Amino acid sequence: MTTTPRRRGSAAAAVLLSAALVLAACGSDGDAAGDKAGETHSVTADNGTIEVPVDPQRVVTIGNTTLPFIDMGGEPVGVTDVSASELGLIPEDQRTTFEAGTSLGASADQIDLEQLAGLEPDLILAQFPESEFEPLEKQLGSIAPTVFWGLGTEWKAFADGLAQAGNLTDGLGEQKAEFEDKITRIQETYGEIIDDTSFVNLDRWASSDPGTFSIADFGCVEIAQDDIGMDFPRAAEGEDPLGWTSLPFEQLAELSEYDVITYPVDAEGRPTEPFAPVVETNTWKALPAVGSGRALGVFCPGNNSYGPVLQYLDSLDAALATLPAKE
Amino acid sequence: MSAVDFGRRVLVLRRRRIAVRLERRSVLVCTALAVAAAGLAVLALMTGSYQLSAGQVVSALTGGETGLVHDIVVEWRLPRVVAALVFGAALGVSGAVFQSLLRNPLADPGLIGFSQGSYTGALVVILVVNGSYLQLVGGALLGGMATAVAVYLLAYRRGVQGFRLIVVGIGVSATLESLNIWLILKAELEQAMAAAAWGAGSLNGVSWNQVVLGGSCIAVLLLLAGMSSRPMRQLELGDDAAASQGVRVSPARLGLIVVGVALTATVTAASGPIAFISLVAPQIGRRLARTGGITLAPAAFVGALLCLAADYVAQHVAPTPLPVGMITVMLGGGYLGYLLFTEARRRL
Amino acid sequence: MTALALRRDGPGTVKVPGPRRRLIGLVVALVALLVLLVLSVMIGSTAIAPSVVWDALFRPSADIDQFAIRDYRLPRTVAGLAVGAALGLSGALMQALTRNPLAEPGILGVNAGASFAVTVAVGLLGVRDIGDYMWFAFAGALVVTIMVLALGSTRQGQSPVAMVLAGICIGAVLGGAREALQLTNPEAFDAMRSWNAGSILGRPLEIVWPILPFFAVAIVLAFAVAGPLNAMALGDELAVAQGVRLARTRVLAVIALTLLAGGATAIAGPIAFVGLMVPHVARWIVGPHQRWIFAYSVLLGPILLLASDILGRVVMHPSEVPVGVVTAFVGAPVLIALARRKRASGL
């Protein structure tokens, strides 16, 4: 997920979704005791309001639901493939959980429906492109209740919905509290820096043309921007995200106008593989921010669930601590 | 390469005003292909990751099962098998029409930009509009048709000459191909992969709705193609020769192009562009039936068998389920290559 | 893209200009190419003053703007020159060899081989660097062309039609395998997306230099077989009567065009259109003389490629459009206009 430019979620959808979830949650309260098997409640997602088991036992995750579901403590019985580089970024125990699930195909459009039916799931959680869902909707629905989100869903609303449908609200609650905690701490510690520093976040992905980079305004940087309040350049309302535009290396020279540059690094602090060519250019080395220690490597293992986001906040915290005082 | 041949055993069926001359070998080949396709269809109904006994399959087909077993056999496997057969036949005939029309063994509707155009339409819907499945189908059809019309008009200069049509088609296709590559390059990974999987042509998730709707369009079009096989054969002899036999060359050619493109368009709408069947099925059919020119029936049967076999391989033989279009390319390409070389070796 | 027409159209009746006009045309093309080379260094997605460009080339310092000239614009200009010339000449060789005006190097399986090899390298071997792709692409192109040559051989030698058919079949099989590999391996798919577009951006000189000796050898070979190919245009029997050794000519021509097209693909990725249309324009100007067609193609190829590349730098500012995308947009209208002229496509 970190390797992919992610479209910013539509706010309206997120609001609707959250409202629906609150309603749904109210409806299912109060019968915690005893055997929940067979009981259902309704959740609302991009494919409408769905009756799902209160305590699902055999969950299949398709597309982008897999890793966030595991991150919240879920154990899917069937999954679609996740790329090796994404698997490399998650904790060992989560990888074991992933590998315990039966692989149903490379991606949603190539899923083996019969194998999926053979797993006899009681809940299917899915996030993949809308255009692929429509032809599959009926078939998935005939196997088990299916909750679907399109790619545009905002990550917090997505996490809420996933936890609600998958009966993982306890795990989510802990993560949320930790998230709020870290945000507050960063805001308090670096208040001055946050207020009067102009940042710019660069990225490069495996799909980027050779010799190009992007000013990325989606992914983890949205959290630095929206939740912490740091000043990063962003696209005007209604425009495509800046990160969709790949810029040739010669435009690196124009980054001199920013105080601090952030760029993606791996867990060990080295520039990510796709970004390494940028760091090797002479133009990068000649940038004032780079020369004065104001280019910060930040680790972003994913931005679709709280676990990886918490790791990002730790990394951002550590990076900001190294920033030399302003002259 | 004319179709004139004497001294062959020929079956002549006369019934009122219709006289159909069927070469005996063609009939035999078509029957054999049909039997093979039927056998493969039975095998495809029996095979799947969800284990079912032969009894369960038969009872599901005769209405004796309910629930998941009924769904798997009647709602999933059966429409897919029927779709593979019908769509394959449509593609085979579509290719046969184009190869005969352009008198070129390597022509297919893709040549006049239909495939690239429909891919462009689909990409715009998936990547730019982020549209629904119906919009995707609409976009693909609109893109393909618009491109085909544009190529036809650009190639029109006091009539359409086959060679000019090919060159203009290549130019327009190349431009659209560039555009497609660029659209894919600019998209998010998940969207781009979805688009590429659609572009490869897949029968995954084909339902009865698509089969019934597509199948009836195809049935009408196949009938039209069958009725125009006589002017088609006369056009093969050249425009002047055809005109002297009373064929109105330009309307006949336009009509054949429309039928050929419409066949491919119907399949594309239901399953994405399934590559290569329209290119190789007529050639394989011609070689199996040992006819001089391109004939429609063997192309249709080869297309159906090829498509079903490819889908079987894509689903059950490949290590992971794949879009059928990738397998048609490999199977069709490999088999055509084999035929060409045995033929070339024999002749030289 | 594959050129699918194997049928020859009637012989062209293009007016043949005299040697004087051909020479003048060649000089004009050369001047146009030099102008484009200068423009290619001057114009980019950032505005850099001509004096800085001059200093960057002749009075180098560590100024940040100078790096843009020396590290990015100069290498891509060299790459554009080499790739354009190689594609143009390989297309001319291909069309002369197959006597088919719609043949382009891609149909001998060069692109299919290169793409397949790069996909295997990326998907199965985990190669990620553009400098490493190069050798896979080159090797893939060479291996597939040799296979095509072998399969296209009959007892009488190499038949151009059989070679083209072999190229299409092998291309189809490898293409399907490549696609299957990519769609089941998202990371390979992702990394291959930009390579597929064909670009000369971000290719440092270290990638271009090692290919140049291959190009030099191929250009010498091409001009050596130009005479025999001229004779073969009139038919194999006439050529044999004139003392042309068919098999040797064909093998040398295939070697030359594979080195050229394979090398170009290794540097830039698959760029389909240049090899197809440049020889057409050359033939349109000089008539059916292979040596002249070759010389013009060597100049017109980089003219088309550099002009497209410069256009691609400014048309979507601040982003760029890969040159492989632009060439078809620039080239297709020219090809269609040519096709609408009477008999302009004959050989």
Side-chain angles (χ1 to χ4, degrees):
Chain A
M1 270 161 242
T2 48
T3 53
T4 313
R6 177 162 302 286
R7 192 172 289 181
R8 202 177 295 145
S10 114
V15 170
L16 256 174
L17 183 68
S18 318
L21 284 167
V22 170
L23 288 176
C26 293
S28 65
D29 259 355
D31 33 34
D35 185 15
K36 285 185 186 171
E39 284 178 40
T40 61
H41 64 153
S42 51
V43 294
T44 301
D46 288 0
N47 61 333
T49 303
I50 311 289
E51 280 296 310
V52 302
V54 173
D55 185 19
Q57 297 302 310
R58 300 183 59 78
V59 181
V60 166
T61 54
I62 301 175
N64 290 336
T65 52
T66 304
L67 293 186
F69 183 73
I70 294 176
D71 179 49
M72 288 178 212
E75 291 176 359
V77 292
V79 294
T80 47
D81 293 352
V82 168
S83 72
S85 67
E86 281 181 82
L87 276 184
L89 291 171
I90 65 177
E92 184 64 41
D93 56 325
Q94 293 191 13
R95 211 172 314 151
T96 314
T97 309
F98 171 81
E99 278 153 11
T102 306
S103 168
L104 298 169
S107 57
D109 55 272
Q110 292 158 43
I111 199 163
D112 187 339
L113 284 170
E114 293 188 16
Q115 201 181 1
L116 171 55
L119 289 175
E120 294 175 350
D122 54 5
L123 178 64
I124 299 173
L125 301 172
Q127 185 186 42
F128 52 86
E130 283 87 344
S131 59
E132 283 178 26
F133 181 64
E134 232 167 295
L136 283 176
E137 182 168 13
K138 207 177 137 210
Q139 296 172 335
L140 290 175
S142 69
I143 299 173
T146 304
V147 188
F148 169 81
W149 295 270
L151 292 183
T153 316
E154 195 261 341
W155 73 277
K156 284 179 191 163
F158 176 63
D160 284 344
L162 204 55
Q164 191 69 45
N167 190 29
L168 294 168
T169 37
D170 291 351
L172 179 71
E174 282 168 34
Q175 289 181 327
K176 271 181 156 171
E178 205 182 334
F179 175 78
E180 294 303 335
D181 216 41
K182 282 196 199 262
I183 295 281
T184 320
R185 211 180 54 232
I186 291 177
Q187 280 171 333
E188 281 167 3
T189 319
Y190 307 104
E192 216 170 301
I193 296 174
I194 293 169
D195 287 341
D196 57 332
T197 309
S198 65
F199 291 88
V200 62
N201 181 52
L202 306 189
D203 213 334
R204 221 181 154 265
W205 301 277
S207 64
S208 302
D209 302 337
T212 65
F213 69 101
S214 290
I215 294 181
D217 53 349
F218 44 67
C220 289
V221 70
E222 287 178 82
I223 295 157
Q225 219 165 10
D226 299 338
D227 295 281
I228 302 178
M230 292 161 76
D231 173 27
F232 283 94
R234 70 188 327 168
E237 199 65 41
E239 296 287 312
D240 282 347
L242 299 176
W244 285 18
T245 308
S246 48
L247 306 167
F249 280 172
E250 59 175 85
Q251 289 184 31
L252 281 171
E254 293 176 359
L255 299 175
S256 307
E257 60 178 284
Y258 298 99
D259 299 329
V260 175
I261 299 173
T262 60
Y263 65 94
V265 294
D266 59 19
E268 279 80 46
R270 292 173 306 226
T272 57
E273 205 175 324
F275 195 76
V278 178
V279 181
E280 284 158 18
T281 61
N282 289 316
T283 319
W284 170 268
K285 289 172 192 156
L287 279 171
V290 174
S292 63
R294 292 170 180 278
L296 307 178
V298 185
F299 175 54
C300 168
N303 67 317
N304 214 14
S305 62
Y306 283 94
V309 165
L310 291 172
Q311 282 179 275
Y312 165 72
L313 289 178
D314 286 341
S315 166
L316 184 67
D317 188 356
L320 288 174
T322 67
L323 212 53
K326 229 179 180 179
E327 298 103 52
Chain B
M1 234 185 275
S2 76
V4 182
D5 195 338
F6 303 100
R8 236 178 232 272
R9 277 175 292 180
V10 166
L11 293 174
V12 181
L13 308 175
R14 277 183 206 288
R15 219 169 137 211
R16 287 225 199 128
R17 291 172 51 217
I18 310 166
V20 189
R21 293 158 60 86
L22 296 170
E23 291 187 25
R24 198 170 140 188
R25 189 174 162 94
S26 285
V27 176
L28 280 176
V29 165
C30 290
T31 314
L33 287 168
V35 170
L40 194 57
V42 172
L43 185 65
L45 283 175
M46 305 284 301
T47 327
S49 336
Y50 199 91
Q51 297 292 333
L52 292 176
S53 70
Q56 277 175 305
V57 173
V58 172
S59 119
L61 287 175
T62 51
E65 294 277 349
T66 50
L68 196 57
V69 176
H70 169 268
D71 278 357
I72 288 179
V73 177
V74 181
E75 301 292 332
W76 301 0
R77 290 187 191 171
L78 192 58
R80 188 166 181 147
V81 167
V82 176
L85 290 170
V86 175
F87 295 174
L91 292 171
V93 170
S94 169
V97 167
F98 266 79
Q99 295 184 4
S100 160
L101 199 63
L102 298 175
R103 278 169 268 158
N104 189 311
L106 293 171
D108 76 350
L111 204 61
I112 65 164
F114 183 84
S115 315
Q116 292 296 349
S118 62
Y119 196 21
T120 307
L123 284 176
V124 169
V125 171
I126 298 179
L127 305 178
V128 183
V129 188
N130 199 17
S132 69
Y133 179 73
L134 262 182
Q135 287 172 311
L136 170 83
V137 171
L141 285 181
L142 199 68
M145 293 295 190
T147 312
V149 170
V151 168
Y152 189 84
L153 291 180
L154 279 172
Y156 194 90
R157 195 163 175 265
R158 277 177 270 133
V160 162
Q161 180 217 345
F163 183 73
R164 199 181 317 130
L165 194 67
I166 294 177
V167 182
V168 173
I170 285 179
V172 173
S173 295
T175 311
L176 289 175
E177 192 182 16
S178 292
L179 185 65
N180 293 347
I181 289 177
W182 195 62
L183 282 171
I184 290 223
L185 177 61
K186 293 290 139 203
E188 290 173 77
L189 178 60
E190 289 100 334
Q191 304 264 32
M193 296 244 345
W198 184 88
S202 172
L203 293 174
N204 234 13
V206 163
S207 68
W208 278 118
N209 282 345
Q210 287 150 294
V211 176
V212 170
L213 202 66
S216 26
C217 290
I218 288 170
V220 172
L221 290 166
L222 286 182
L223 202 68
L224 285 175
M227 278 159 56
S228 53
S229 71
R230 219 176 70 88
M232 189 177 104
R233 194 151 310 294
Q234 284 161 340
L235 278 174
E236 264 183 21
L237 302 173
D239 292 0
D240 298 340
S244 72
Q245 289 182 29
V247 177
R248 291 167 62 214
V249 172
S250 277
R253 180 172 290 144
L254 182 61
L256 280 166
I257 291 180
V258 169
V259 169
V261 169
L263 278 169
T264 300
T266 314
V267 178
T268 307
S271 65
I274 299 178
F276 231 63
I277 290 185
S278 52
L279 195 64
V280 297
Q283 293 299 315
I284 294 174
R286 185 174 74 81
R287 283 165 172 78
L288 290 178
R290 302 218 189 109
T291 51
I294 297 292
T295 39
L296 295 181
F301 282 100
V302 171
L305 180 62
L306 187 60
C307 192
L308 184 59
D311 193 44
Y312 188 84
V313 172
Q315 269 195 103
H316 307 307
V317 181
T320 163
L322 291 171
V324 61
M326 290 169 190
I327 306 295
T328 57
V329 165
M330 287 192 269
L331 277 187
Y335 188 57
L336 179 65
Y338 166 76
L339 279 181
L340 286 170
F341 291 114
T342 49
E343 191 173 83
R345 291 260 144 76
R346 212 173 34 236
R347 211 187 297 141
L348 290 170
Chain C
M1 196 197 65
T2 51
L4 295 172
L6 293 176
R7 222 180 98 253
R8 284 182 63 192
D9 215 34
T13 51
V14 185
K15 277 175 289 163
V16 178
R20 208 182 131 84
R21 285 194 40 204
R22 276 185 235 142
L23 199 63
I24 293 173
L26 202 65
V27 174
V28 171
L30 195 62
V31 172
L33 180 56
L34 289 175
V35 171
L36 280 170
L37 286 174
V38 173
L39 287 179
S40 173
V41 180
M42 303 281 293
I43 299 174
S45 66
T46 51
I48 296 177
S51 62
V52 178
V53 175
W54 181 265
D55 286 351
L57 297 176
F58 302 105
R59 282 168 29 205
S61 73
D63 179 57
I64 194 163
D65 281 338
Q66 288 199 5
F67 291 127
I69 306 298
R70 283 200 303 271
D71 290 358
Y72 314 129
R73 291 194 198 166
L74 199 60
R76 78 190 290 179
T77 304
V78 174
L81 180 67
V83 169
L87 287 175
L89 184 55
S90 69
L93 271 166
M94 186 69 193
Q95 292 180 7
L97 183 71
T98 57
R99 284 177 244 154
N100 187 319
L102 294 178
E104 52 122 4
I107 61 176
L108 273 198
V110 173
N111 287 348
S115 300
F116 182 73
V118 172
T119 306
V120 168
V122 172
L124 302 181
L125 308 177
V127 174
R128 282 293 178 275
D129 188 60
I130 185 80
D132 297 330
Y133 289 2
M134 176 176 80
W135 296 110
F136 283 97
F138 204 21
L142 292 181
V143 168
V144 169
T145 321
I146 290 167
M147 279 165 65
V148 168
L149 198 61
L151 285 172
S153 303
T154 55
R155 260 173 255 137
Q156 263 86 47
Q158 287 74 33
S159 138
V161 177
M163 272 196 287
V164 169
L165 289 174
I168 289 175
C169 291
I170 293 178
V173 175
L174 287 182
R178 186 200 71 218
E179 248 185 290
L181 205 57
Q182 284 184 13
L183 277 191
T184 51
N185 187 335
E187 289 186 54
F189 177 85
D190 206 21
M192 291 290 292
R193 279 198 274 168
S194 64
W195 189 80
N196 276 336
S199 169
I200 50 174
L201 172 62
R203 271 70 175 175
L205 285 174
E206 301 88 79
I207 288 184
V208 183
W209 291 139
I211 300 288
L212 293 185
F214 294 105
F215 284 170
V217 171
I219 290 174
V220 171
L221 278 180
F223 281 92
V225 296
L229 283 173
N230 238 352
M232 282 160 64
L234 302 170
D236 288 355
E237 277 144 40
L238 274 174
V240 172
Q242 288 180 32
V244 172
R245 290 160 70 182
L246 293 179
R248 198 182 66 165
T249 306
R250 287 192 180 122
V251 170
L252 289 181
V254 168
I255 291 173
L257 81 87
T258 307
L259 290 178
L260 289 166
T265 309
I267 295 173
I271 296 180
F273 212 63
V274 180
L276 180 64
M277 74 155 293
V278 159
H280 274 276
V281 180
R283 200 174 305 111
W284 182 28
I285 300 172
V286 299
H289 297 272
Q290 296 305 344
R291 222 169 248 132
W292 283 101
I293 293 175
F294 287 3
Y296 268 76
S297 296
V298 168
L299 294 179
L300 292 178
I303 287 179
L304 174 61
L305 205 73
L306 286 173
S308 301
D309 191 43
I310 294 169
L311 192 65
R313 292 177 212 177
V314 293
V315 75
M316 296 267 300
H317 189 84
S319 188
E320 293 196 4
V321 185
V323 65
V325 172
V326 185
T327 44
F329 275 93
V330 173
V334 179
L335 186 77
I336 291 168
L338 277 174
R340 287 177 63 82
R341 280 162 47 97
K342 262 187 188 170
R343 300 201 209 144
S345 291
L347 269 178

